[in-house]
Amino acid sequence: MKIVAIMGSYRKARTIDTLVDRAIEGVKSVAPNAQIEKITLVDRDIQYCRNCGVCRKDDPVKPIAHCAIQDDMQEILPTMADADAYVFGVPIFEGTVNAVTKTFLERICWTMAKAGRWPVKGCPEPRSPVKRQAIAILSSGIIVPALRVFCDDATSLIKSTIGDSLNAKLIGTLYAGGVEKVGIDRYLEQAHKLGQKLTS
Ligand SMILES: Cc1cc2nc3c(=O)[nH]c(=O)nc-3n(C[C@H](O)[C@H](O)[C@H](O)COP(=O)(O)O)c2cc1C
């Protein structure tokens, strides 16, 4: 089993980084032979999508469409295509994913998808027929879990992008809410269990 963990926080060894590591430990506790690659987005050269349209026009049979931007996504896209499952760790900024994660999602949107027919002709559908699974770990500084609905547009964005482009189903999420008030200790076990769920 190959798993790619996307670490979208700007801060290392803080909330998201710690919870993603805990989820990876959960994976390893039940699947010790799993190959896990963690990608820390801020360490990579990931430029903005330029809407040049090259990927959208590329041959729909190719597993990955050509991207005209020469940056680290040239290496990351094949890694994403080769994976069976994903971990997304994302801090919530202004109610949704932070900027580096949004940039990343925009870059996989059409490189990993082709124009489909549902729900509207031309919308992205996965290039890969291989069904995958994913979990997402979100964190917020202030808004506690009971109020998640008012704070978390990130989960729906991740769910739709990975469904449309990576053929990945979001099988579980952890919303680590209000970490500025409550800290992260209470979420560690939940992250571990979520990682275990990814191997099921
Ligand atoms: C620009 C910015 C916007 C933020 N927006 C929100 C928000 O809408 N709701 C919230 O509860 N916390 C918000 N936060 C707090 C972050 O969600 C919190 O610091 C982050 O989840 C902690 O993750 P980290 O320790 O991995 O950086 C914001 C932080 C920044 C810097």
Side-chain angles (χ1 to χ4, degrees):
M1 185 179 201
K2 291 183 184 170
I3 297 175
V4 178
I6 301 296
M7 207 297 277
S9 177
Y10 302 124
R11 305 193 299 185
K12 294 177 187 171
R14 300 292 288 269
T15 314
I16 287 296
D17 198 16
T18 304
L19 293 175
V20 165
D21 284 349
R22 197 74 189 113
I24 290 171
E25 285 166 22
V27 169
K28 286 181 181 163
S29 71
V30 286
N33 295 327
Q35 293 176 38
I36 305 168
E37 180 167 351
K38 181 179 170 188
I39 297 174
T40 299
L41 295 181
V42 287
D43 286 346
R44 302 300 184 102
D45 175 21
I46 300 175
Q47 298 170 25
Y48 299 129
C49 171
R50 298 169 192 165
N51 198 4
C52 64
V54 167
C55 55
R56 284 181 73 173
K57 290 181 211 130
D58 204 1
D59 183 350
V61 172
K62 287 165 69 177
I64 305 169
H66 178 66
C67 178
I69 303 173
Q70 292 301 314
D71 65 3
D72 286 351
M73 288 303 288
Q74 299 289 345
E75 174 200 326
I76 293 171
L77 288 169
T79 304
M80 297 298 284
D82 203 29
D84 307 298
Y86 310 97
V87 178
F88 284 86
V90 182
I92 291 176
F93 278 22
E94 298 180 304
T96 186
V97 299
N98 65 339
V100 70
T101 306
K102 182 67 164 62
T103 301
F104 176 74
L105 293 175
E106 287 177 8
R107 292 291 300 281
I108 62 171
C109 173
W110 279 108
T111 48
M112 301 293 290
K114 59 189 177 187
R117 298 195 164 270
W118 191 91
V120 176
K121 193 178 170 204
C123 282
E125 82 174 26
R127 283 175 177 262
S128 172
V130 180
K131 292 194 187 306
R132 296 148 171 154
Q133 295 194 326
I135 56 172
I137 299 169
L138 299 310
S139 69
S140 77
I142 303 161
I143 305 300
V144 294
L147 300 174
R148 175 179 183 174
V149 67
F150 300 110
C151 182
D152 178 17
D153 286 341
T155 298
S156 59
L157 177 64
I158 293 166
K159 185 178 175 185
S160 63
T161 305
I162 67 174
D164 294 346
S165 298
L166 296 171
N167 209 358
K169 185 178 177 192
L170 192 60
I171 60 161
T173 68
L174 165 60
Y175 175 86
V179 292
E180 287 173 17
K181 296 177 193 166
V182 303
I184 66 165
D185 286 358
R186 66 181 58 196
Y187 299 119
L188 293 171
E189 190 52 31
Q190 292 175 55
H192 193 262
K193 284 204 175 108
L194 195 57
Q196 291 177 324
K197 189 176 176 186
L198 192 58
T199 61
S200 62

